[in-house]
Amino acid sequence: MTDEQSRPDHDQDTTLTTAADAPTPVSTTAVVLPVDPVRPQGRTRWYLALGVVALVVAGTVVAALALTGSSPAATVTGYVPANSVMYGEVRLDLPGDQRAEIGRFLSRFPGFADQAALDMKLDEVLDRLISDGTDGEQTFTRDIKPWFDGEMAFAVGPLPDAASIGDPTTAAASTRALVLLSVKDEALARTWFAGVMSKAGAAGVPESYQGTELSVFSEDSMPGATAAFALIGGKVAVAGDLASVKAAVDTGGSSGLVADADVVAAMAAMDGDHVGFMFVDLRSIVESALELGESMASTPPVNDAMLALVPDWSAFRLRVEGDGLVMDGVMPDVAGAPGPNTNRANALSGWAPASTIVLATGNEAGATFLDLIALMRQQPDLAEVFQTIDGAAGILGGMDAVLGWMGDSGIVISQGTSAPEGGIVSIPTDATKARQFLTTIRSFATLGGSQAGITVREEDYAGTTITIIDLGSLEDLAGLAGGFGGGQVPLDPSTVPLPSGNVEIAYAATDQVVVIGSGPGFVRSVLDAGAGTSLADDARFTGLVGRVGAEHTGLSFVDIAAIRTLVEGLLSESTPAERAEYEESVKPFLTPFDALIASAVAGGDLDAQHIVITVK
């Protein structure tokens, strides 16, 4: 099969498609690296060399999605060892619609409005970033762009086994990791890598393997740790431990990872082109970690019930759209895991004030907590912890009394009159049980808090009783904490400035909502939202929710623009020079960011998570 025959069209997501079936490895020339007369000393010379390479490549990634033109479907995946437990890639060649979408996205930031000059602007950004990271010795356009074909990836092999614990030599020999870069000009790539490694003082010893020449690096002071570098078939540069590099050569560009059923399922579950992808074999990693932990007496065992909650795998994807960054995750559904298994609109946004800047909710919160606690009780090493927890909960009527009444629940933070305020809001499944719990809390605050200066009062608000527990000033609380802890807490405001005013916790419970917040003002705002205009009535919010799933098991929202405005208010205490620097160099690049919305969605076989960060 030819390269062109094996490359799917870019309009499809082809990240895990090999570039060619190459049963016979192509012979390449060894990269024999000269020894620089002045070089770093010690056992990690080749680590430093690879670190320099990683710095340059990482700089390209952080600069973000910046190469121009298009390239064939990803070749690097075809060279990943099939037994890898973690694989991640960044598609800087911008497959499918990603180049156009990135152009639209960047046009919202200073200096990128002119799409005709986009290529030049991107190169300038990369040049500046890489030059700064290499003290002016490297630039993207001069040193990297001529040979780099826009694909980079990493792979991690099976974790070291328990026998390697405590033996650095064995651990080093059994560590498996690989970095892969796609190459469009083998000769230029060889020259660049040789120069970078020589500059770092790393001299490679040539070794032939399956028709491919490797450069092998080792240190007498670090036996077992042998690194290698190779250019395979003029297509991919690989660097890592020697065994992993040889395994990459063995793939012939047709890794079994591509056909792995879990990887195929992960890719099929996420539509559209992307610029980043990661797959993690969670089951293998957790089982290896537990095996290692069992060899250490200080590590408590994990029971089968808790282990069963771990999905077999998880995968994540990043794509760019003209008005935002889209991050999706997917993993197999775990039968019996705590939490709801059906999707519906979370009702809490109907009680969140329209000025909400942070919302984090979960459906059926009380039942989820109780199920999770029941599983954790099966963990033997947590028995003493639960004795303490049960003792405290018993005073309040037990765990069911504390949590069982909670339905859709979450944290709400809103813009108050003079400062942000927030608390816990819940739609009760049993309003009577909720009132009983809060009445118990009030009784303890009234009877047990008087000696500590804690007072309780009530106020009526539109027919609803709001209870306010006044905890006293922060100085009083600091002193109380010091007394309980047996230590000294500085109370002198000149030493540790503390905000003035008393700390209050307020709550109210109706048949429709329970709110426990930072003060009566927050409680009133929640009650008002339920009776009038709430976050759920905001067109911007509902539009965002529609992008991540109007029906879900949990939802989160962050008003990035509002938070930025609040933070900018703190700049009044900065110097004029600091404010000017912020206005000129920082704010223009923060202003486009608008909001974050995220959801968890239950599926039949696969569960998903969706995150969108929007710009305006």
Side-chain angles (χ1 to χ4, degrees):
M1 181 183 293
T2 67
D3 284 2
E4 293 303 318
Q5 289 172 329
S6 65
R7 292 170 186 161
D9 186 82
H10 274 179
D11 289 338
Q12 300 179 14
D13 195 334
T14 58
T15 303
L16 293 178
T17 303
T18 57
D21 293 327
T24 304
V26 181
S27 177
T28 60
T29 304
V31 181
V32 182
L33 304 174
V35 180
D36 195 297
V38 179
R39 65 184 188 181
Q41 300 298 314
R43 66 182 185 176
T44 57
R45 252 180 317 201
W46 54 266
Y47 279 132
L48 177 59
L50 296 178
V52 173
V53 175
L55 171 64
V56 174
V57 175
T60 307
V61 176
V62 173
L65 324 167
L67 291 184
T68 60
S70 62
S71 65
T75 61
V76 291
T77 308
Y79 294 86
V80 175
N83 65 344
S84 298
V85 298
M86 183 182 299
Y87 168 75
E89 69 180 26
V90 176
R91 294 296 305 271
L92 300 179
D93 57 336
L94 310 183
D97 67 354
Q98 287 301 275
R99 188 179 188 285
E101 293 295 329
I102 288 171
R104 292 175 53 213
F105 177 82
L106 291 177
S107 68
R108 302 163 192 270
F109 294 84
F112 290 93
D114 183 4
Q115 293 294 288
L118 179 62
D119 297 351
M120 180 182 67
K121 290 291 185 180
L122 292 174
D123 283 350
E124 288 176 358
V125 171
L126 285 166
D127 281 343
R128 183 165 55 251
L129 180 68
I130 293 175
S131 178
D132 290 345
T134 60
D135 293 328
E137 295 183 0
Q138 298 274 338
T139 68
F140 173 72
T141 53
R142 183 189 67 217
D143 302 296
I144 299 172
K145 187 176 181 179
W147 61 263
F148 181 42
D149 205 23
E151 305 166 9
M152 63 171 294
F154 74 89
V156 177
L159 299 182
D161 57 31
S164 66
I165 293 297
D167 184 352
T169 299
T170 305
S174 57
T175 298
R176 298 289 176 263
L178 198 64
V179 175
L180 307 95
L181 304 173
S182 63
V183 171
K184 63 184 177 183
D185 190 312
E186 182 181 3
L188 291 177
R190 181 182 300 111
T191 300
W192 184 84
F193 279 102
V196 168
M197 292 184 179
S198 177
K199 181 69 175 179
V205 177
E207 176 182 325
S208 179
Y209 179 75
Q210 301 289 349
T212 296
E213 296 300 325
L214 317 180
S215 291
V216 181
F217 307 84
S218 60
E219 288 285 347
D220 294 338
S221 59
M222 196 175 181
T226 303
F229 168 83
L231 286 164
I232 306 176
K235 297 178 180 180
V236 176
V238 297
D241 65 278
L242 179 59
S244 293
V245 171
K246 288 183 175 180
V249 175
D250 288 337
T251 66
S254 300
S255 170
L257 182 71
V258 181
D260 182 89
D262 293 338
V263 176
V264 171
M267 294 302 302
M270 297 183 287
D271 297 329
D273 299 301
H274 64 252
V275 293
F277 174 79
M278 179 178 290
F279 178 88
V280 182
D281 186 340
L282 289 174
R283 178 65 54 178
S284 295
I285 292 175
V286 169
E287 289 178 349
S288 296
L290 291 177
E291 181 183 349
L292 294 175
E294 289 173 358
S295 66
M296 304 171 64
S298 60
T299 303
V302 177
N303 64 53
D304 292 339
M306 294 296 292
L307 184 59
L309 298 181
V310 179
D312 288 342
W313 53 267
S314 64
F316 306 91
R317 179 199 72 164
L318 169 66
R319 80 174 253 107
V320 181
E321 296 183 355
D323 63 345
L325 303 175
V326 178
M327 292 160 278
D328 295 317
V330 64
M331 64 183 64
D333 181 72
V334 178
N341 54 21
T342 57
N343 301 307
R344 60 175 175 77
N346 186 285
L348 204 66
S349 60
W351 292 92
S355 61
T356 294
I357 57 177
V358 175
L359 174 72
T361 72
N363 297 1
E364 304 172 24
T368 300
F369 286 138
L370 291 174
D371 288 347
L372 181 59
I373 289 171
L375 283 170
M376 294 177 67
R377 286 185 187 279
Q378 300 178 35
Q379 189 72 16
D381 60 293
L382 295 178
E384 292 186 8
V385 175
F386 275 106
Q387 285 182 359
T388 302
I389 294 174
D390 288 340
I395 298 175
L396 301 174
M399 282 293 186
D400 185 67
V402 174
L403 299 170
W405 53 269
M406 300 176 70
D408 292 0
S409 305
I411 296 172
V412 177
I413 300 175
S414 62
Q415 300 185 61
T417 304
S418 58
E421 54 190 16
I424 298 172
V425 181
S426 179
I427 297 175
T429 57
D430 189 327
T432 300
K433 186 181 291 186
R435 290 190 180 94
Q436 290 173 345
F437 168 70
L438 293 174
T439 298
T440 302
I441 293 292
R442 185 189 190 286
S443 298
F444 276 104
T446 301
L447 299 176
S450 58
Q451 292 183 346
I454 297 174
T455 61
V456 180
R457 71 182 190 273
E458 293 179 346
E459 69 175 48
D460 179 82
Y461 185 72
T464 298
T465 299
I466 299 177
T467 302
I468 303 103
I469 302 176
D470 190 329
L471 302 176
S473 68
L474 284 174
E475 288 186 25
D476 294 337
L477 289 175
L480 185 63
F484 282 132
Q488 295 182 351
V489 178
L491 303 179
D492 184 358
S494 65
T495 304
V496 181
L498 297 173
S500 60
N502 287 6
V503 177
E504 295 182 338
I505 297 176
Y507 67 81
T510 71
D511 290 342
Q512 293 78 36
V513 69
V514 173
V515 52
I516 305 171
S518 55
F522 175 72
V523 175
R524 289 192 291 266
S525 70
V526 171
L527 297 174
D528 288 342
T533 302
S534 67
L535 184 65
D537 300 308
D538 181 73
R540 169 177 172 244
F541 174 77
T542 55
L544 289 169
V545 172
R547 296 183 65 165
V548 297
E551 294 188 341
H552 40 258
T553 61
L555 186 72
S556 297
F557 164 75
V558 178
D559 190 332
I560 298 174
I563 292 175
R564 174 182 57 78
T565 301
L566 289 173
V567 172
E568 287 174 352
L570 302 177
L571 291 176
S572 60
E573 300 179 4
S574 304
T575 66
E578 290 172 336
R579 291 195 296 272
E581 173 69 16
Y582 172 80
E583 292 289 336
E584 180 179 352
S585 303
V586 179
K587 183 176 180 178
F589 295 93
L590 295 180
T591 299
F593 287 100
D594 185 36
L596 177 149
I597 192 76
S599 72
V601 179
D605 296 324
L606 299 176
D607 296 333
Q609 301 82 39
H610 306 291
I611 302 174
V612 178
I613 300 175
T614 60
V615 292
K616 57 184 178 180

